[in-house]
Amino acid sequence: MNQSTAQKTPESGAEQKSHVLTLPLENSHVDRSPHTYERWLVAKLVRMAGGPSVRFRLWNGDIIEPEGQQAEFTLHLTDPKALYALVTNPNLAFGDLYSAGRLEVEGDLPDLMEALYRAVHQARQKWPKWLEALWRNHNPRSTGISEAKENIHHHYDLGNEFYRLWLDNAEMQYTCAYYETPDLTLEQAQLAKLEHVCRKLRLKPGMTVVEAGCGWGGLARYMARNYGVKVHSYNISREQLAYAREEAHKQGLDNLVEYVEDDYRNISGQYDAFVSIGMLEHVGKENYQAMSELIKRCLKPDGIALLHSIGRNRPMLMNAWIEKRIFPGAYPPSIGEFMQICEHSDFSVLDVENLRLHYAQTLSHWMERFTENEDKVSTMYDEHFIRAWRMYLAGSMAAFRAGSLQLFQVVFTHGDNNTLPRSRQDLYNFPAAPEEA
Amino acid sequence: MNQSTAQKTPESGAEQKSHVLTLPLENSHVDRSPHTYERWLVAKLVRMAGGPSVRFRLWNGDIIEPEGQQAEFTLHLTDPKALYALVTNPNLAFGDLYSAGRLEVEGDLPDLMEALYRAVHQARQKWPKWLEALWRNHNPRSTGISEAKENIHHHYDLGNEFYRLWLDNAEMQYTCAYYETPDLTLEQAQLAKLEHVCRKLRLKPGMTVVEAGCGWGGLARYMARNYGVKVHSYNISREQLAYAREEAHKQGLDNLVEYVEDDYRNISGQYDAFVSIGMLEHVGKENYQAMSELIKRCLKPDGIALLHSIGRNRPMLMNAWIEKRIFPGAYPPSIGEFMQICEHSDFSVLDVENLRLHYAQTLSHWMERFTENEDKVSTMYDEHFIRAWRMYLAGSMAAFRAGSLQLFQVVFTHGDNNTLPRSRQDLYNFPAAPEEA
């Protein structure tokens, strides 16, 4: 029996959404003894995954310990079909089974996920080709204009009330924060990120900025408030835009900030700065050339562009579960892949910074707040959704900790622009974070 | 008649070198009238080069003005064969003819070269394929172990006395300096570069460093003196090593610095830092994978690597004249190409900085000193060599000004290293340059 995820009516009265995290959820709890080959499959699975420190507890209570070690974590499989799903497509099934409650984890979830990432990363270098193909290949969804709308709607229109529960309450930033010092609050670190980005763009009053993908509009408002620049921000998420416009209006920024409901591909005009924070992951490699031409077109001769994106150390597909259930169409590029954007239009890269561990810390803060607010989330979404979200946050945190994901900020200009910042000293003249959030 | 470049015996008594800058130097001065098709060829050449602001004066005094503009520069061709060489292979012939005195420039040489670079850069996007092939294709020399020795000997063993005439007298740095502020002397800016590199490597006393390609050994001595680290520096230029060892001995650094006469491919051991300043240009793309594996092998788990190299905004062969006459085998990579080194071994890029205009300023300082010391150089080398060197310095300065060349510093670590610097604040805590050199 397939059961689609039931969504409770949220307190905020946001619309019903039926597309969220649908997956087969079978109530197939059994207590028959596992077959010999099922036990063999478990041992094989653990070995192929690089021998992480996990034991399995099967549906009848049988325990399978890993070879030659005292396991740190226990994975409990509630039914034989869960095992088969895990063996044939672990990347997708792990998240699905966890969300459905058919795979239970004993031990810290982010720590377990980090251990899995590290073990698999080592192991996969020795995988035979067929296993690589079986476990890794999947076709990410298209990121064409109409599909992009759906992809973005799927995730970003879950309801502003939902995101408000666990994002910072300074500027609702749903991207990596910048922890200049380890003790910053989430709010301080998000404001520090906005400040860091503005400094990298060398903004001055009166300049014009175009932003591709603006989330809840926090960067645009920050730029207008603190740097006196005019910002055009593009987004295709209606829920986010509604919030962004309301906030800008409240803050009296209507004359400086314009939020445009349109695809980034339709940006027109010329600007002193082009900025995009956390959108490139959704652009798709097949659109990098068009994106490059877009930036070429709308950046003034002396303008500076900054792209901030999740990335990889080498080309690799997004984790299948994340791509299918959380971020449809997502693809984090390696710097080599990223360079297609720069090389195609003869852009000159001025600065690349990797904030990987800052994203791990950001996710840790988000997860803390999400966990504190699970009660409130449960008035909006069902248990399945909550478990999926927990897995998404924990898995992402683990991926950044294990070095499976990176966070790149890349600054570039036209190749023949000679009005360049002399050094990066000006990024560090005083702390980017406010003293108190 | 082929005439190889005659080398005078240098005052310093360095060995005779017969391999420097050999090229056909024809004494074919004529004063016949140019044919109609020769005048057509000149006009065509200027048009295909994007219409730079140059007029030609031909061997008989005839002037050919560019279309629709008052020319800033005059190029004087002394003979018809010079024109044919320029039309069929301008990249190679321009430098050769200038060196041989068969092409004379009226106007500032770096400014002319910059105008040429900018015009050609625009124009070549519209070149037909056959012209691109005719004017751009050449086969760079091999960079295998035995050829690398020759390539390096060709340039870097020209005599320490020669380089001393125009490099900084602080640490004989033959790479891009770092002008934190525009008014730094060459000496201050070179020391600031060394300091900047040390900070990027986060050196601490007692650490070990391996350096691939050490020039006259200045970075190794700076690190030992100022950071108390142990350095192994590899080089295959004998002249440079002799100087480097003598200097280290004079400064009492024998216990901290070891200069090894060997190819970088033979580096052994494990180190806290891997550094290479201005060698990657000589490595050749075909060796990036091996270089990647070398760094993987000899960098400790928490170690940091820094490569500093001339580069490009997009893949392109080195200018033919520079590759053939000045730096045999040289190839400056784009960041995309550079990433082969990082992606092959799952390295994580932490920081990329582009110091393009700093190299233009460095070259301007070098050229100033070279020009001041041409009298002294003429006691070591003939007029042909001096003109070639002037063209090399002016052309390089122009290439950095025009954005045809870049200077990248790339910092990376093993992909699973989590002991990362939190921010780059520590690079900017106080000025890198000493108050006076």
Side-chain angles (χ1 to χ4, degrees), chain B residues 335-365:
Chain B
I335 294 183
E337 293 173 314
F338 195 122
M339 285 304 111
Q340 294 167 24
I341 297 173
C342 295
E343 294 187 358
H344 179 72
S345 294
D346 197 38
F347 288 127
S348 183
V349 173
L350 301 184
D351 184 4
V352 178
E353 185 175 19
N354 187 341
L355 298 172
R356 171 167 73 87
L357 291 179
H358 294 252
Y359 217 154
Q361 195 168 350
T362 308
L363 278 152
S364 160
H365 274 153

Side-chain angles (χ1 to χ4, degrees), chain A residues 114 118 121-122 125 178-183 196 200 312-315 334-337 339 342-358 361 400-404 406 408 413-431, chain B residues 114 118 121-122 125 178-183 196 200 312-315 334-337 339 342-358 361 400-404 406 408 413-431:
Chain A
E114 186 179 351
R118 287 189 185 270
H121 182 77
Q122 285 299 318
Q125 291 161 26
Y178 175 56
Y179 294 84
E180 269 182 303
T181 53
D183 53 319
H196 201 46
K200 284 185 175 180
R312 296 277 202 190
N313 287 342
R314 54 167 82 175
S334 72
I335 295 183
E337 293 173 312
M339 285 303 112
C342 295
E343 294 187 359
H344 179 70
S345 294
D346 196 39
F347 288 129
S348 183
V349 173
L350 301 185
D351 184 4
V352 178
E353 184 173 20
N354 187 339
L355 297 172
R356 170 166 73 86
L357 292 178
H358 295 253
Q361 195 168 349
F400 283 102
R401 278 192 194 155
S404 169
Q406 315 291 314
F408 299 123
T413 70
H414 291 295
D416 56 359
N417 172 17
N418 272 3
T419 60
L420 307 177
R422 175 166 294 276
S423 88
R424 306 181 303 200
Q425 171 77 54
D426 50 336
L427 307 181
Y428 301 97
N429 279 341
F430 47 94
Chain B
E114 186 180 349
R118 288 192 185 267
H121 182 76
Q122 285 299 319
Q125 291 161 27
Y178 175 56
Y179 295 85
E180 272 183 301
T181 52
D183 52 319
H196 201 46
K200 284 186 174 179
R312 296 277 201 189
N313 287 342
R314 55 168 80 175
S334 73
I335 294 183
E337 293 173 314
M339 285 304 111
C342 295
E343 294 187 358
H344 179 72
S345 294
D346 197 38
F347 288 127
S348 183
V349 173
L350 301 184
D351 184 4
V352 178
E353 185 175 19
N354 187 341
L355 298 172
R356 171 167 73 87
L357 291 179
H358 294 252
Q361 195 168 350
F400 283 103
R401 279 191 193 156
S404 168
Q406 314 292 315
F408 299 123
T413 71
H414 291 293
D416 56 0
N417 172 18
N418 273 2
T419 60
L420 306 178
R422 176 168 292 277
S423 88
R424 305 182 301 201
Q425 171 77 58
D426 50 337
L427 308 181
Y428 301 97
N429 279 342
F430 47 94

Side-chain angles (χ1 to χ4, degrees), chain B residues 363-378:
Chain B
L363 278 152
S364 160
H365 274 153
W366 287 345
M367 190 155 179
E368 213 172 89
R369 295 188 184 193
F370 180 81
T371 306
E372 281 167 17
N373 284 298
E374 278 191 11
D375 277 1
K376 287 183 193 150
V377 177
S378 72

Side-chain angles (χ1 to χ4, degrees), chain B residues 12 15 21 37 60-61 69 87 91 99 102 118 122 127 129 153 192-193 208 265 269 311 324 336 350 365 387 436:
Chain B
S12 65
E15 299 159 40
L21 299 171
Y37 62 82
N60 70 332
Q69 58 174 324
V87 166
N91 277 304
S99 312
R102 292 167 60 193
R118 288 192 185 267
Q122 285 299 319
W127 285 354
K129 281 217 171 119
H153 180 62
K193 185 261 303 289
T208 57
R265 281 161 276 214
K324 286 206 187 305
L350 301 184
H365 274 153
R387 290 178 64 94
E436 46 188 44

